[in-house]
Amino acid sequence: MAEKSSETLMEKIVSLCKRRGFVFPSSEIYGGFAATYDFGPLGFLLKKNIEKVWRRWNVEGREDMVEIEGAIFMHPRVWEASGHVGGFADLLVEDLVTHKRYRADHVIEDAKIMDNAGALKAEEADTIIKDNKLKSPDGNPLSPAKRFNLLVKTHLGPIEDDTTVVYLKGESCQNIYVDWKPVLESTHRKLPFGIAQIGKAFRNEITVKNFIFRTREFEQMDIQYFCRPEEADQWYEYWKKNRQDFYTEAMGFSPARVKWRQHDPDERAFYAKDAWDVQYQFGEIGFQEIEGVHHRGNYDLTQHQKFSGTDLSYFDEATGERFLPYIVECSGGFNRLFLATLFEFYREDGDRKMLSFPPKLAPYKAAVFPLLKNKPELVEKAKNVYENLRKKYMIAWDDRGNIGKRYYAQDEIGTPYCITIDFDTLEHGDVTVRDRDTAKQERVKIEDLEKFIAEKLE
Ligand code: GAP
């Protein structure tokens, strides 16, 4: 009987990711670097497939959406206008013995004193920490809370002084706001319409934890939907429903693992009318935010219009009105979506580990094996099948060990179909196709294989 593992689901996923090349700690030969990660060959393929599903659902499948890809460096005034230079800060407390630093809200939440401590002021956090005699995770006293700005700063150009300070994007969506006018003018769009972007964001997070869940460099998948002010409530409700459907229908997540949490009024930005988090149930770490849906009003365009001095208003030809549109924002974290996909489709059956990805997400759509690698006629036929399918799809080749081991190896990386070329193939021109989830085997004619895969991808 298989020994019962005491590993958490997160530990199993981290280990699978490393073993099979989904995600590696970055710069590992130097001991790794502050919770930065690289996507390995399989992670890269999974990433591209997730992006494809996101893009199909949010951009290609709609006529009211365009997508851009903005630069990482932006004019420093962007971050003053957005409020990040002045106010993008978390409360930090320091262990007075080890000098390790922690987020005050996390210390309070981890002690189960309250659920969402993110909106506390420094004095409020200090009072809670003092009244409840909270200590650092190492059991030491904590310093008073102070604000710590999360923007990552650097210098551009040959001089390092105050005039050359630039910031890496604290949130990816700022490109969309500053590009709103050129997108409007170049595409001749009418309201309502959205601008989507998958882009990098950088935050000097005080604590980074839970593998790729909270990192200092990550990607955001944004939709900023521009509409008439009086229609914003209706579009806000529309997008909330759309996001639920994206996770459960497009990504195939179980509805029981997707939950919504409304922000308390004091948690929201002062300009936001409403804000909800979409949460996913990440095993032992519980329900955690994967996306924010925000009713932003016209704050972003107002600020950029003021700071840039450029007119960002929309002219409605039908009514003759000129106004700043309202924005409904859906901002998801790519790393969190990737991690949720692994949690959602991870299965175990005794020693067998499996990623039960839908074919559209699977890194390889099928694997091709010759039954025996020392029979040239089988290898030649199998190579032929492999090369043909490879013209259209990502297909794996495996001729190591016995068939059972190859099935296990493909199950672990989520390959939905294994195609074996055996002696009957040489005689009848058909192959055995084994289904990862049911382990059922069927014979399929070689000339029907491409259609077989195409149908599963629909
Ligand atoms: N423009 C809105 C915005 O940036 P946010 O709630 O700060 O809102 C949106 O971020 C999403 O970005 C979050 O729901 C989360 O999925 C992801 N995210 C935020 N900080 C992150 C971090 N340090 N590591 C990984 N993902 C993060």
Side-chain angles (χ1 to χ4, degrees), residues 171 173 203 205 213 215 218 220 289-290 329 331 333 336:
E171 59 176 3
C173 60
R203 294 183 186 176
E205 297 277 2
F213 181 82
T215 49
F218 54 96
Q220 291 180 314
E289 174 186 347
I290 48 174
E329 169 183 72
S331 180
R336 296 187 187 182

Side-chain angles (χ1 to χ4, degrees), residues 361-375:
L361 290 177
Y364 291 114
K365 308 307 171 198
V368 175
F369 316 147
L371 180 65
L372 300 166
K373 80 167 181 188
N374 58 359
K375 296 285 173 201

